[in-house]
Amino acid sequence: MVKILLLVFAVLLYKATAQVTPVRYEVKKGAEVCMLAKFGLLLSIRYPTVHNTTSSAPLWFGGGDVSGTCTEEGENIAVMEINDNHEMGLKLTFTRGNFHSHSMYWLSDFEVWYVYTRNRFPDAQPAVYGTTGSEKASNIQWFRAPEVNSYLCRSEQQKTLQYNVDILLNDLQLQPFEVKNNDFSPPMECAMD
C-alpha cells in the first residue's frame, strides 16, 4: 500500500511539473549511428529516511554520456549505456529474434543505478550517502517491434523494476537494430497511442 501511495505522489508531482522533455541518445560505430533511443524518463526511488520511514525521490533523467555495443552480422544483442554525471545511469539491453517468421526486437533488460546524495535524497539515513543503489528488470519483453521499424509510444508508460524503483517513460522511440541514414525508420506505434 505504501508503495502505491509513493508512486501516486511521484506521478502527481510529475504531472504538476509537465512531462519530462525527451532526449535523443545515439550509439555510433565509426561515424555511423547504429542504435537510437529517444525518451523522457522519471525515476521514482524509494529509500530509508532518518525518521525510520520510507520516502520516495522523483529523479528526472536528462541525458549524459552514451556508449554501447552495436550488433555485427548474425548477432542478436545490442546494449546502450547512459551515464549521467556519474550519479545515475541506465543500461538498456535489446534482443532480436523471430516470431511467427518475422524478425522482431524488444527491450530484454532495463537496469538503473544511482548514487545516494544529499541533494537527491535529503532526508535519507546517513549510512546510505555515497553508496550506490541499483535495480534491474531482466528477461522482459518490453517495446516489441518489427526489426524494419522503430518503436514509438508517445503515451506515458509506467513500469516497476523490482522493489524500490518505478519508471515513467514518455515520448519513447527506439531503434536498436538496422538504423539507416542516422535516423529512425518509420515507426510501429504502441497500442496506447
Side-chain angles (χ1 to χ4, degrees):
M1 182 65 175
V2 171
K3 181 178 177 181
I4 293 169
L5 291 173
L6 291 172
L7 184 58
V8 168
F9 171 75
V11 168
L12 289 174
L13 176 64
Y14 171 75
K15 293 224 182 256
T17 59
Q19 287 190 329
V20 177
T21 302
V23 176
R24 180 180 163 124
Y25 303 98
E26 300 177 347
V27 175
K28 292 185 175 185
K29 186 174 184 180
E32 296 294 314
V33 174
C34 56
M35 188 182 328
L36 287 169
K38 183 183 82 168
F39 51 84
L41 174 61
L42 172 71
L43 303 172
S44 177
I45 301 173
R46 287 172 291 287
Y47 63 95
T49 70
V50 293
H51 311 291
N52 292 324
T53 61
T54 300
S55 188
S56 181
L59 303 179
W60 285 261
F61 195 86
D65 297 327
V66 181
S67 63
T69 56
C70 298
T71 58
E72 299 291 335
E73 185 68 33
E75 294 179 342
N76 293 317
I77 301 291
V79 177
M80 176 180 282
E81 295 186 61
I82 307 164
N83 184 331
D84 183 11
N85 204 24
H86 303 289
E87 291 188 0
M88 191 166 41
L90 297 176
K91 181 177 179 182
L92 308 174
T93 303
F94 297 92
T95 301
R96 70 175 160 190
N98 289 318
F99 288 97
H100 307 290
S101 72
H102 291 72
S103 185
M104 307 282 287
Y105 66 84
W106 59 92
L107 181 66
S108 52
D109 291 325
F110 186 108
E111 184 174 358
V112 60
W113 61 266
Y114 44 91
V115 176
Y116 288 99
T117 61
R118 290 188 193 283
N119 63 332
R120 292 186 177 184
F121 304 91
D123 60 343
Q125 293 179 354
V128 302
Y129 289 130
T131 65
T132 301
S134 67
E135 286 201 11
K136 180 178 182 178
S138 296
N139 300 315
I140 54 177
Q141 292 189 9
W142 295 350
F143 319 130
R144 188 181 305 182
E147 185 178 33
V148 296
N149 297 101
S150 63
Y151 174 89
L152 176 64
C153 197
R154 293 176 189 91
S155 300
E156 291 179 355
Q157 297 185 61
Q158 179 183 321
K159 308 276 187 190
T160 299
L161 295 187
Q162 287 177 318
Y163 311 106
N164 293 318
V165 178
D166 296 307
I167 61 173
L168 194 60
L169 292 154
N170 64 275
D171 294 316
L172 173 70
Q173 190 165 15
L174 302 169
Q175 184 142 14
F177 302 100
E178 303 300 324
V179 175
K180 306 279 191 243
N181 300 317
N182 296 332
D183 206 359
F184 290 105
S185 294
M188 185 201 82
E189 295 192 33
C190 68
M192 294 181 286
D193 282 354

